[in-house]
Amino acid sequence: MSTTDGNQGTTWLSQEAYDRLQAELDERIANRPAIAAEINARREEGDLRENGGYHAAREEQGKAEGRILYLKEFLRKAVVGDAPTSDSVAPGTVVTIQFDDDEDDTEKFLLGSREIAATTDLKVYSPESALGKAILGANRGDTVTYTAPSGAAIKVTIIEFEPFAG
């Protein structure tokens, strides 16, 4: 489970999701010496202005360090356990919506952090997405309209929602 509750920046994670992200962080930190060794090896090849291998290794280091910083902060703010239940659509809920009053056009998804996508078969929408923002706080039977990235106005009705059992 991964959700952001009413407390700004709090992310609820299942133990499995937390452990998976912590393992990724540990692996990336452990890989730092190998990346540094690669940079040093490429540096010794000669002129750095024309050394593609050196620049590629430095770019890889930058990406790895960025991910390490992101994971450290994400996990620092995370709360492991069940998200609080809510009487309305909130992050951490599995939501079923119906599009444009068409009973045959429905979608079921998890409203939560995309970090959880690897641990569920459900499609995950971020609370910060256009759809996520539109349905936050909605109740069963409520109809909301949001603007899709294509610019189209889309009307959806909340059919049901329940806490994610992850």
Side-chain angles (χ1 to χ4, degrees), residues 68-109:
I68 287 170
L69 290 174
Y70 171 80
L71 287 171
K72 280 182 175 181
E73 184 65 10
F74 187 81
L75 292 172
R76 184 184 68 78
K77 291 181 179 180
V79 177
V80 178
D82 296 330
T85 57
S86 176
D87 294 335
S88 61
V89 174
T93 53
V94 176
V95 183
T96 302
I97 58 173
Q98 173 183 308
F99 291 93
D100 296 318
D101 299 321
D102 181 353
E103 291 181 12
D104 296 326
D105 191 6
T106 63
E107 183 175 7
K108 184 175 185 176
F109 58 89

Side-chain angles (χ1 to χ4, degrees), residues 42-149:
R42 298 297 180 186
R43 182 181 297 130
E44 292 175 6
E45 290 176 355
D47 187 358
L48 295 183
R49 292 176 300 200
E50 297 179 14
N51 188 331
Y54 171 78
H55 293 291
R58 293 284 299 176
E59 185 174 328
E60 183 64 29
Q61 180 189 39
K63 288 178 185 177
E65 289 300 317
R67 182 68 177 164
I68 287 170
L69 290 174
Y70 171 80
L71 287 171
K72 280 182 175 181
E73 184 65 10
F74 187 81
L75 292 172
R76 184 184 68 78
K77 291 181 179 180
V79 177
V80 178
D82 296 330
T85 57
S86 176
D87 294 335
S88 61
V89 174
T93 53
V94 176
V95 183
T96 302
I97 58 173
Q98 173 183 308
F99 291 93
D100 296 318
D101 299 321
D102 181 353
E103 291 181 12
D104 296 326
D105 191 6
T106 63
E107 183 175 7
K108 184 175 185 176
F109 58 89
L110 171 63
L111 185 65
S113 169
R114 296 197 188 258
E115 291 293 338
I116 197 66
T119 64
T120 180
D121 291 334
L122 288 170
K123 187 167 192 168
V124 179
Y125 286 100
S126 167
E128 290 80 29
S129 68
L131 173 59
K133 287 178 183 175
I135 66 172
L136 276 175
N139 295 301
R140 283 178 187 82
D142 286 356
T143 299
V144 297
T145 302
Y146 71 96
T147 304

Side-chain angles (χ1 to χ4, degrees), residues 7-20:
N7 301 326
Q8 280 297 337
T10 300
T11 300
W12 295 88
L13 293 173
S14 66
Q15 187 65 54
E16 176 188 356
Y18 183 89
D19 291 346
R20 181 181 54 82

